Amino acid sequence: MTPPASDWTPIAEEAVRAARVLHPDPNSLPRPDRRRVLTVANQKGGVGKTTSTVNLAAALAVHGLKTLVIDLDPQGNASTALNVDHRSGTPSIYDVLLGDLPLGEAMAVSEQSPNLFCVPATIDLAGAEIELVEIPSRESRLKEALNGDVVDQLGMDYVFIDCPPSLGLLTVNAMVAAREVLIPIQCEYYALEGLGQLLSNIELVQRHLNPALTVSTILLTMYDGRTKLADQVTAEVREHFGDVVLKTVIPRNVKVSEAPSYGQTVLAYDPGSRGAMSYVDAARELAERGTGNGTRRGML
């Protein structure tokens, strides 16, 4: 309910936005015809990759869509943001990749939504790339784990795979397991630096390991409307990549940065903030871009 105009204040406006985020219509976002598996990748660090992963997942989950986050980064930042235990020895994606545990036994429910699940990463994952080298079909370990019955039984609508900031064997596993790649790009200088190498690797995976893989989505992050540079980068990315780029842009927002330190997504930490609203809008756009086969035509 909107307060009378005479009572309207910035705090009242934020409260209304927060209520809209926390209590959305659970049927307002379309359910994909088939499960969408998205690898969130960029070998450049500090671009908002993990932040985008957990907040897009949380936004979809609060709208009633069952969403799984697989933390494939040894730093475990996605696990932290979802407040899922990832101390050494905790059942994790490391055990799944090495074949010691089925995916379902490493999966935990985030307290932020009954529709939001996470397979955490522990520090043990740091040595996984070396251990995987001698394992048969080492590039397909995650794909095999996702093909198990548990993901079907839970009726997952979305799976997000948060990759480390590198192009090693863990990221290759993520690309082999997915049908879509989502690339966050920050609206800052050197935004496109190294992106050519990432696209080349995606093309190699597509050619040799996963013909179904496509770059379906690019999300612009860390937009600062006070600078001309942000507008220039935004325009350059849109000109280069076209309608693969989401219309929604994620602004620089202190609440987005603070939330993980409290073990929360920004939707839980400050649902009325500009950051939370932007991620809800991006999730809506992502969901609405899904077509009959559960994915949008991509770049590659």
Side-chain angles (χ1 to χ4, degrees):
M1 180 178 174
T2 303
S6 58
D7 297 332
W8 193 256
T9 65
I11 294 176
E13 182 177 359
E14 185 165 337
V16 170
R17 292 201 304 265
R20 196 178 303 132
V21 170
L22 292 173
H23 305 287
D25 178 354
N27 300 311
S28 62
L29 295 188
R31 192 174 301 277
D33 295 335
R34 61 182 298 171
R35 182 183 310 116
R36 294 180 67 181
V37 182
L38 299 98
T39 285
V40 184
N42 193 328
Q43 80 272 24
K44 208 168 143 48
V47 301
K49 177 178 54 61
T50 297
T51 299
S52 297
T53 299
V54 297
N55 285 298
L56 287 171
L60 292 166
V62 298
H63 283 83
L65 298 170
K66 284 197 172 182
T67 307
L68 170 64
V69 172
I70 296 177
D71 191 350
L72 212 58
D73 187 342
Q75 297 178 77
N77 292 335
S79 308
T80 298
L82 297 176
N83 199 25
V84 172
D85 187 8
H86 59 106
R87 292 170 293 183
S88 182
T90 303
S92 69
I93 193 62
Y94 170 80
D95 305 296
V96 174
L97 291 174
L98 266 61
D100 298 331
L101 208 64
L103 190 76
E105 293 186 25
M107 194 183 298
V109 183
S110 172
E111 63 183 18
Q112 297 177 46
S113 170
N115 294 317
L116 185 56
F117 300 77
C118 177
V119 178
T122 63
I123 192 62
D124 305 314
L125 190 60
E129 295 205 3
I130 297 173
E131 295 179 66
L132 284 170
V133 168
E134 297 182 352
I135 295 178
S137 303
R138 57 185 179 270
E139 304 93 348
S140 305
R141 303 295 291 180
L142 183 57
K143 179 180 179 180
E144 292 167 8
L146 274 172
N147 285 340
D149 293 337
V150 65
V151 181
D152 289 328
Q153 289 169 358
L154 288 169
M156 291 295 175
D157 297 299
Y158 285 85
V159 176
F160 288 88
I161 307 171
D162 184 40
C163 295
S166 68
L167 297 176
L169 193 49
L170 290 175
T171 300
V172 171
N173 258 269
M175 291 182 182
V176 172
R179 292 179 62 88
E180 303 179 58
V181 180
L182 187 156
I183 304 175
I185 298 178
Q186 81 280 34
C187 299
E188 295 181 354
Y189 194 55
Y190 293 139
L192 302 180
E193 186 183 56
L195 197 58
Q197 183 61 50
L198 173 61
L199 295 176
S200 296
N201 280 45
I202 292 171
E203 198 166 359
L204 281 171
V205 171
Q206 184 188 54
R207 190 181 307 135
H208 299 289
L209 297 168
N210 183 7
L213 187 67
T214 180
V215 178
S216 68
T217 311
I218 289 176
L219 175 64
L220 290 162
T221 63
M222 303 180 183
Y223 176 81
D224 187 343
R226 299 170 299 179
T227 68
K228 288 184 178 179
L229 177 62
D231 287 330
Q232 291 169 354
V233 171
T234 299
E236 185 176 351
V237 172
R238 293 195 188 282
E239 181 180 357
H240 193 75
F241 296 109
D243 63 359
V244 171
V245 186
L246 293 182
K247 293 184 176 69
T248 303
V249 175
I250 308 301
R252 276 200 173 275
N253 182 257
V254 67
K255 300 299 183 181
V256 172
S257 303
E258 290 176 352
S261 64
Y262 292 89
Q264 295 180 324
T265 63
V266 71
L267 277 76
Y269 177 65
D270 191 346
S273 65
R274 288 174 61 240
M277 294 300 297
S278 296
Y279 273 114
V280 169
D281 291 341
R284 182 180 303 281
E285 194 175 347
L286 181 69
E288 290 175 349
R289 282 184 169 208
T291 57
N293 65 355
T295 177
R296 179 181 173 81
R297 179 181 63 82
M299 291 166 43
L300 297 175

